[in-house]
Short mmCIF file of all heavy atoms in Angstrom, two decimals:
data_model
loop_
_atom_site.label_atom_id
_atom_site.label_comp_id
_atom_site.label_asym_id
_atom_site.label_seq_id
_atom_site.Cartn_x
_atom_site.Cartn_y
_atom_site.Cartn_z
N ASP T 53 -2.46 -2.90 13.20
CA ASP T 53 -3.42 -1.77 13.35
C ASP T 53 -4.70 -2.09 12.66
O ASP T 53 -5.28 -1.18 12.08
CB ASP T 53 -2.79 -0.49 12.85
CG ASP T 53 -1.49 -0.10 13.43
OD1 ASP T 53 -1.36 -0.28 14.76
OD2 ASP T 53 -0.57 0.40 12.75
N VAL T 54 -5.19 -3.28 12.81
CA VAL T 54 -6.45 -3.72 12.11
C VAL T 54 -7.64 -3.03 12.79
O VAL T 54 -7.71 -3.04 14.05
CB VAL T 54 -6.54 -5.20 12.16
CG1 VAL T 54 -7.97 -5.66 11.74
CG2 VAL T 54 -5.54 -5.91 11.32
N GLN T 55 -8.50 -2.57 11.99
CA GLN T 55 -9.74 -1.93 12.51
C GLN T 55 -10.85 -2.45 11.64
O GLN T 55 -10.70 -2.44 10.31
CB GLN T 55 -9.65 -0.42 12.47
CG GLN T 55 -8.63 0.24 13.36
CD GLN T 55 -8.79 1.60 13.53
OE1 GLN T 55 -9.86 2.20 13.43
NE2 GLN T 55 -7.68 2.34 13.85
N VAL T 56 -11.95 -2.89 12.19
CA VAL T 56 -13.00 -3.48 11.47
C VAL T 56 -14.31 -3.02 12.10
O VAL T 56 -14.40 -2.76 13.30
CB VAL T 56 -12.96 -5.04 11.64
CG1 VAL T 56 -14.15 -5.70 10.97
CG2 VAL T 56 -11.62 -5.56 11.01
N GLY T 57 -15.28 -2.81 11.31
CA GLY T 57 -16.66 -2.46 11.79
C GLY T 57 -17.70 -2.91 10.75
O GLY T 57 -17.45 -3.53 9.79
N VAL T 58 -18.93 -2.50 11.15
CA VAL T 58 -20.04 -2.88 10.25
C VAL T 58 -20.83 -1.61 9.99
O VAL T 58 -21.18 -0.82 10.87
CB VAL T 58 -21.03 -3.86 10.93
CG1 VAL T 58 -22.24 -4.18 10.08
CG2 VAL T 58 -20.32 -5.14 11.38
N LEU T 59 -21.17 -1.38 8.69
CA LEU T 59 -21.93 -0.19 8.29
C LEU T 59 -23.39 -0.53 8.60
O LEU T 59 -23.88 -1.61 8.28
CB LEU T 59 -21.78 0.07 6.78
CG LEU T 59 -20.42 0.44 6.26
CD1 LEU T 59 -20.42 0.52 4.74
CD2 LEU T 59 -19.93 1.71 6.88
N GLY T 60 -24.01 0.32 9.26
CA GLY T 60 -25.44 0.13 9.74
C GLY T 60 -26.34 0.60 8.75
O GLY T 60 -26.01 1.27 7.77
N GLY T 61 -27.63 0.37 9.02
CA GLY T 61 -28.65 0.90 8.09
C GLY T 61 -29.33 2.10 8.70
O GLY T 61 -29.59 2.14 9.95
N GLU T 62 -29.64 3.04 7.96
CA GLU T 62 -30.35 4.22 8.41
C GLU T 62 -31.43 4.55 7.41
O GLU T 62 -31.29 4.52 6.21
CB GLU T 62 -29.35 5.45 8.56
CG GLU T 62 -28.35 5.22 9.54
CD GLU T 62 -27.39 6.43 9.58
OE1 GLU T 62 -27.73 7.44 9.00
OE2 GLU T 62 -26.37 6.30 10.32
N TRP T 63 -32.60 4.86 7.90
CA TRP T 63 -33.76 5.12 7.06
C TRP T 63 -34.38 6.49 7.48
O TRP T 63 -34.55 6.62 8.75
CB TRP T 63 -34.81 4.06 7.09
CG TRP T 63 -34.38 2.74 6.52
CD1 TRP T 63 -34.47 2.37 5.22
CD2 TRP T 63 -33.69 1.71 7.20
NE1 TRP T 63 -33.96 1.13 5.06
CE2 TRP T 63 -33.48 0.72 6.22
CE3 TRP T 63 -33.41 1.47 8.53
CZ2 TRP T 63 -32.84 -0.49 6.60
CZ3 TRP T 63 -32.71 0.21 8.84
CH2 TRP T 63 -32.45 -0.70 7.88
N ALA T 64 -34.57 7.27 6.63
CA ALA T 64 -35.21 8.62 6.99
C ALA T 64 -36.66 8.59 6.47
O ALA T 64 -37.01 7.89 5.48
CB ALA T 64 -34.47 9.73 6.34
N ASP T 65 -37.59 9.28 7.16
CA ASP T 65 -38.91 9.37 6.72
C ASP T 65 -39.00 10.41 5.61
O ASP T 65 -39.29 11.56 5.80
CB ASP T 65 -39.87 9.70 7.89
CG ASP T 65 -41.32 9.59 7.53
OD1 ASP T 65 -41.67 8.96 6.54
OD2 ASP T 65 -42.10 10.22 8.29
N ALA T 66 -38.71 9.87 4.38
CA ALA T 66 -38.61 10.80 3.24
C ALA T 66 -39.36 10.15 2.10
O ALA T 66 -39.97 9.09 2.23
CB ALA T 66 -37.17 11.07 2.97
N ASP T 67 -39.24 10.74 0.93
CA ASP T 67 -39.80 10.15 -0.21
C ASP T 67 -39.19 8.81 -0.62
O ASP T 67 -38.06 8.51 -0.10
CB ASP T 67 -39.58 11.11 -1.44
CG ASP T 67 -40.33 12.43 -1.28
OD1 ASP T 67 -41.44 12.35 -0.66
OD2 ASP T 67 -39.88 13.45 -1.78
N PRO T 68 -39.86 8.00 -1.37
CA PRO T 68 -39.28 6.73 -1.77
C PRO T 68 -37.94 6.97 -2.43
O PRO T 68 -37.62 8.04 -2.78
CB PRO T 68 -40.24 6.17 -2.75
CG PRO T 68 -41.55 6.98 -2.60
CD PRO T 68 -41.16 8.26 -2.03
N SER T 69 -37.20 5.85 -2.55
CA SER T 69 -35.86 5.92 -3.17
C SER T 69 -35.99 6.53 -4.54
O SER T 69 -37.04 6.29 -5.26
CB SER T 69 -35.30 4.51 -3.40
OG SER T 69 -35.14 3.81 -2.19
N PRO T 70 -35.09 7.28 -4.93
CA PRO T 70 -35.08 7.88 -6.37
C PRO T 70 -35.26 6.65 -7.36
O PRO T 70 -34.72 5.68 -7.11
CB PRO T 70 -33.76 8.58 -6.49
CG PRO T 70 -33.31 8.88 -5.08
CD PRO T 70 -33.87 7.78 -4.28
N ARG T 71 -36.00 6.95 -8.35
CA ARG T 71 -36.34 5.93 -9.27
C ARG T 71 -35.11 5.21 -9.91
O ARG T 71 -35.00 4.02 -10.01
CB ARG T 71 -37.21 6.42 -10.40
CG ARG T 71 -37.68 5.53 -11.46
CD ARG T 71 -38.59 4.48 -10.94
NE ARG T 71 -38.82 3.43 -11.95
CZ ARG T 71 -39.98 3.00 -12.35
NH1 ARG T 71 -41.09 3.71 -11.94
NH2 ARG T 71 -40.12 2.13 -13.19
N ASP T 72 -34.05 6.05 -10.18
CA ASP T 72 -32.88 5.38 -10.84
C ASP T 72 -32.13 4.54 -9.80
O ASP T 72 -31.62 3.50 -10.15
CB ASP T 72 -31.96 6.51 -11.42
CG ASP T 72 -31.49 7.64 -10.43
OD1 ASP T 72 -32.20 7.75 -9.36
OD2 ASP T 72 -30.52 8.22 -10.63
N GLN T 73 -32.19 4.96 -8.56
CA GLN T 73 -31.51 4.08 -7.53
C GLN T 73 -32.18 2.77 -7.37
O GLN T 73 -31.66 1.68 -7.34
CB GLN T 73 -31.45 4.85 -6.19
CG GLN T 73 -30.85 4.08 -5.11
CD GLN T 73 -30.91 4.73 -3.78
OE1 GLN T 73 -30.96 5.99 -3.71
NE2 GLN T 73 -30.92 4.04 -2.71
N ARG T 74 -33.59 2.87 -7.33
CA ARG T 74 -34.43 1.62 -7.20
C ARG T 74 -34.14 0.75 -8.42
O ARG T 74 -34.10 -0.46 -8.29
CB ARG T 74 -35.80 2.00 -7.06
CG ARG T 74 -36.70 0.74 -6.85
CD ARG T 74 -38.20 1.13 -6.53
NE ARG T 74 -38.78 1.50 -7.72
CZ ARG T 74 -39.85 2.42 -7.80
NH1 ARG T 74 -40.36 2.92 -6.70
NH2 ARG T 74 -40.42 2.67 -8.92
N ASP T 75 -34.27 1.27 -9.65
CA ASP T 75 -34.10 0.64 -10.91
C ASP T 75 -32.65 -0.16 -10.87
O ASP T 75 -32.58 -1.32 -11.27
CB ASP T 75 -34.18 1.44 -12.09
CG ASP T 75 -35.59 1.89 -12.30
OD1 ASP T 75 -36.43 1.39 -11.64
OD2 ASP T 75 -35.78 2.86 -13.16
N LEU T 76 -31.67 0.58 -10.41
CA LEU T 76 -30.29 -0.11 -10.32
C LEU T 76 -30.31 -1.26 -9.44
O LEU T 76 -29.77 -2.36 -9.73
CB LEU T 76 -29.23 0.94 -9.97
CG LEU T 76 -27.83 0.41 -9.87
CD1 LEU T 76 -27.36 -0.20 -11.10
CD2 LEU T 76 -26.93 1.54 -9.31
N GLU T 77 -30.96 -1.09 -8.24
CA GLU T 77 -31.04 -2.18 -7.29
C GLU T 77 -31.75 -3.37 -7.78
O GLU T 77 -31.35 -4.43 -7.71
CB GLU T 77 -31.63 -1.65 -5.91
CG GLU T 77 -31.67 -2.69 -4.87
CD GLU T 77 -32.28 -2.17 -3.55
OE1 GLU T 77 -32.64 -1.06 -3.47
OE2 GLU T 77 -32.48 -3.07 -2.71
N TRP T 78 -32.89 -3.02 -8.51
CA TRP T 78 -33.67 -4.18 -9.02
C TRP T 78 -32.91 -4.83 -10.11
O TRP T 78 -32.92 -6.08 -10.26
CB TRP T 78 -35.01 -3.69 -9.60
CG TRP T 78 -35.68 -4.82 -10.18
CD1 TRP T 78 -35.87 -5.13 -11.54
CD2 TRP T 78 -36.22 -5.91 -9.43
NE1 TRP T 78 -36.40 -6.40 -11.61
CE2 TRP T 78 -36.63 -6.89 -10.39
CE3 TRP T 78 -36.35 -6.31 -8.12
CZ2 TRP T 78 -37.28 -8.08 -10.06
CZ3 TRP T 78 -36.88 -7.45 -7.68
CH2 TRP T 78 -37.33 -8.34 -8.70
N ARG T 79 -32.19 -4.14 -11.07
CA ARG T 79 -31.41 -4.78 -12.13
C ARG T 79 -30.41 -5.62 -11.59
O ARG T 79 -30.19 -6.72 -12.07
CB ARG T 79 -30.78 -3.74 -13.03
CG ARG T 79 -31.72 -3.13 -13.96
CD ARG T 79 -31.07 -2.31 -15.16
NE ARG T 79 -30.09 -1.37 -14.70
CZ ARG T 79 -30.32 -0.03 -14.42
NH1 ARG T 79 -31.60 0.36 -14.42
NH2 ARG T 79 -29.44 0.68 -13.99
N THR T 80 -29.71 -5.30 -10.47
CA THR T 80 -28.72 -6.13 -9.83
C THR T 80 -29.45 -7.48 -9.37
O THR T 80 -28.91 -8.60 -9.62
CB THR T 80 -28.12 -5.47 -8.67
OG1 THR T 80 -27.43 -4.31 -9.18
CG2 THR T 80 -27.00 -6.24 -8.01
N LEU T 81 -30.60 -7.35 -8.68
CA LEU T 81 -31.19 -8.47 -8.20
C LEU T 81 -31.71 -9.30 -9.34
O LEU T 81 -31.51 -10.52 -9.31
CB LEU T 81 -32.49 -8.04 -7.34
CG LEU T 81 -32.21 -7.56 -5.98
CD1 LEU T 81 -33.42 -6.76 -5.44
CD2 LEU T 81 -31.89 -8.70 -5.09
N ALA T 82 -32.29 -8.73 -10.38
CA ALA T 82 -32.81 -9.48 -11.56
C ALA T 82 -31.61 -10.23 -12.23
O ALA T 82 -31.82 -11.37 -12.68
CB ALA T 82 -33.49 -8.61 -12.51
N ASP T 83 -30.41 -9.63 -12.41
CA ASP T 83 -29.37 -10.28 -12.99
C ASP T 83 -28.91 -11.45 -12.23
O ASP T 83 -28.64 -12.61 -12.76
CB ASP T 83 -28.15 -9.31 -13.11
CG ASP T 83 -28.25 -8.27 -14.19
OD1 ASP T 83 -29.19 -8.40 -15.06
OD2 ASP T 83 -27.42 -7.30 -14.24
N ASP T 84 -28.94 -11.33 -10.90
CA ASP T 84 -28.48 -12.49 -10.00
C ASP T 84 -29.55 -13.58 -10.11
O ASP T 84 -29.26 -14.81 -9.99
CB ASP T 84 -28.27 -12.07 -8.59
CG ASP T 84 -27.08 -11.17 -8.43
OD1 ASP T 84 -26.17 -11.30 -9.25
OD2 ASP T 84 -26.99 -10.49 -7.38
N LEU T 85 -30.87 -13.22 -10.24
CA LEU T 85 -31.93 -14.24 -10.14
C LEU T 85 -32.39 -14.74 -11.56
O LEU T 85 -33.25 -15.59 -11.56
CB LEU T 85 -33.06 -13.64 -9.39
CG LEU T 85 -32.70 -13.27 -7.93
CD1 LEU T 85 -33.96 -12.54 -7.36
CD2 LEU T 85 -32.39 -14.52 -7.17
N SER T 86 -31.92 -14.19 -12.58
CA SER T 86 -32.43 -14.61 -13.91
C SER T 86 -32.29 -16.05 -14.26
O SER T 86 -33.08 -16.60 -15.04
CB SER T 86 -31.73 -13.72 -15.01
OG SER T 86 -30.42 -13.97 -15.10
N GLY T 87 -31.29 -16.74 -13.71
CA GLY T 87 -31.12 -18.16 -13.95
C GLY T 87 -32.14 -18.95 -13.21
O GLY T 87 -32.95 -19.75 -13.81
N PRO T 88 -32.25 -18.85 -11.89
CA PRO T 88 -33.09 -19.74 -11.13
C PRO T 88 -34.45 -19.34 -11.09
O PRO T 88 -35.41 -20.13 -10.60
CB PRO T 88 -32.54 -19.66 -9.71
CG PRO T 88 -31.81 -18.37 -9.64
CD PRO T 88 -31.28 -18.11 -10.98
N MET T 89 -34.85 -18.21 -11.55
CA MET T 89 -36.29 -17.75 -11.39
C MET T 89 -36.88 -17.47 -12.78
O MET T 89 -36.26 -16.86 -13.68
CB MET T 89 -36.33 -16.43 -10.59
CG MET T 89 -37.66 -16.01 -10.20
SD MET T 89 -37.70 -14.53 -9.12
CE MET T 89 -37.23 -15.21 -7.58
N SER T 90 -38.17 -17.83 -12.98
CA SER T 90 -38.89 -17.54 -14.24
C SER T 90 -39.06 -16.09 -14.43
O SER T 90 -39.07 -15.30 -13.53
CB SER T 90 -40.19 -18.30 -14.29
OG SER T 90 -41.07 -17.71 -13.42
N LYS T 91 -39.22 -15.68 -15.72
CA LYS T 91 -39.43 -14.26 -16.02
C LYS T 91 -40.74 -13.76 -15.39
O LYS T 91 -40.85 -12.66 -14.91
CB LYS T 91 -39.44 -14.08 -17.55
CG LYS T 91 -38.13 -14.14 -18.14
CD LYS T 91 -38.07 -13.88 -19.65
CE LYS T 91 -36.66 -14.04 -20.09
NZ LYS T 91 -36.45 -13.49 -21.41
N ALA T 92 -41.75 -14.66 -15.36
CA ALA T 92 -43.08 -14.24 -14.79
C ALA T 92 -42.94 -14.06 -13.27
O ALA T 92 -43.45 -12.97 -12.74
CB ALA T 92 -44.09 -15.37 -15.09
N ARG T 93 -42.16 -14.87 -12.62
CA ARG T 93 -41.92 -14.77 -11.16
C ARG T 93 -41.10 -13.43 -10.89
O ARG T 93 -41.39 -12.73 -9.99
CB ARG T 93 -41.26 -16.00 -10.63
CG ARG T 93 -40.95 -15.90 -9.14
CD ARG T 93 -42.20 -16.18 -8.33
NE ARG T 93 -41.86 -16.30 -6.90
CZ ARG T 93 -42.44 -15.66 -5.96
NH1 ARG T 93 -43.35 -14.81 -6.23
NH2 ARG T 93 -41.98 -15.70 -4.70
N LEU T 94 -40.10 -13.23 -11.73
CA LEU T 94 -39.30 -12.06 -11.55
C LEU T 94 -40.17 -10.70 -11.72
O LEU T 94 -40.04 -9.77 -10.96
CB LEU T 94 -38.21 -11.98 -12.67
CG LEU T 94 -36.86 -12.52 -12.16
CD1 LEU T 94 -35.90 -12.50 -13.47
CD2 LEU T 94 -36.20 -11.75 -11.05
N ARG T 95 -41.08 -10.78 -12.69
CA ARG T 95 -41.92 -9.57 -12.91
C ARG T 95 -42.82 -9.37 -11.70
O ARG T 95 -43.03 -8.25 -11.23
CB ARG T 95 -42.83 -9.72 -14.14
CG ARG T 95 -42.05 -9.42 -15.42
CD ARG T 95 -42.95 -9.30 -16.64
NE ARG T 95 -43.60 -10.54 -16.94
CZ ARG T 95 -43.13 -11.51 -17.68
NH1 ARG T 95 -41.95 -11.42 -18.19
NH2 ARG T 95 -43.87 -12.62 -17.83
N LYS T 96 -43.41 -10.47 -11.19
CA LYS T 96 -44.20 -10.33 -9.89
C LYS T 96 -43.34 -9.76 -8.75
O LYS T 96 -43.88 -8.97 -7.97
CB LYS T 96 -44.80 -11.73 -9.51
CG LYS T 96 -45.74 -11.69 -8.38
CD LYS T 96 -46.29 -13.02 -8.05
CE LYS T 96 -47.18 -12.87 -6.88
NZ LYS T 96 -47.50 -14.18 -6.23
N MET T 97 -42.20 -10.28 -8.59
CA MET T 97 -41.32 -9.71 -7.53
C MET T 97 -40.97 -8.32 -7.78
O MET T 97 -40.92 -7.56 -6.75
CB MET T 97 -40.12 -10.64 -7.35
CG MET T 97 -40.34 -12.08 -7.03
SD MET T 97 -41.01 -12.19 -5.20
CE MET T 97 -39.61 -11.86 -4.27
N GLU T 98 -40.76 -7.94 -8.87
CA GLU T 98 -40.37 -6.54 -9.27
C GLU T 98 -41.59 -5.55 -8.90
O GLU T 98 -41.31 -4.56 -8.35
CB GLU T 98 -40.03 -6.34 -10.77
CG GLU T 98 -39.70 -5.01 -11.05
CD GLU T 98 -39.27 -4.73 -12.52
OE1 GLU T 98 -39.56 -5.72 -13.37
OE2 GLU T 98 -38.70 -3.66 -12.88
N THR T 99 -42.76 -6.06 -9.16
CA THR T 99 -43.99 -5.26 -8.84
C THR T 99 -44.14 -5.11 -7.35
O THR T 99 -44.28 -3.97 -6.78
CB THR T 99 -45.21 -5.89 -9.41
OG1 THR T 99 -45.13 -5.99 -10.87
CG2 THR T 99 -46.46 -5.15 -9.01
N GLU T 100 -43.88 -6.16 -6.62
CA GLU T 100 -43.93 -6.15 -5.11
C GLU T 100 -42.82 -5.29 -4.64
O GLU T 100 -43.03 -4.50 -3.69
CB GLU T 100 -43.82 -7.56 -4.56
CG GLU T 100 -44.00 -7.61 -3.01
CD GLU T 100 -44.03 -8.99 -2.43
OE1 GLU T 100 -44.08 -9.95 -3.24
OE2 GLU T 100 -44.08 -9.08 -1.27
#
Side-chain angles (χ1 to χ4, degrees):
D53 302 320
V54 169
Q55 295 192 29
V56 177
V58 179
L59 299 174
E62 296 178 10
W63 294 271
D65 190 13
D67 293 331
S69 302
R71 179 69 189 236
D72 57 340
Q73 178 183 336
R74 184 176 75 207
D75 289 349
L76 176 61
E77 184 180 353
W78 179 256
R79 280 194 311 274
T80 301
L81 284 164
D83 285 348
D84 290 339
L85 297 172
S86 63
M89 190 179 284
S90 72
K91 289 183 182 193
R93 179 78 173 127
L94 266 175
R95 281 191 299 276
K96 182 179 178 194
M97 294 297 286
E98 182 179 14
T99 299
E100 186 173 355

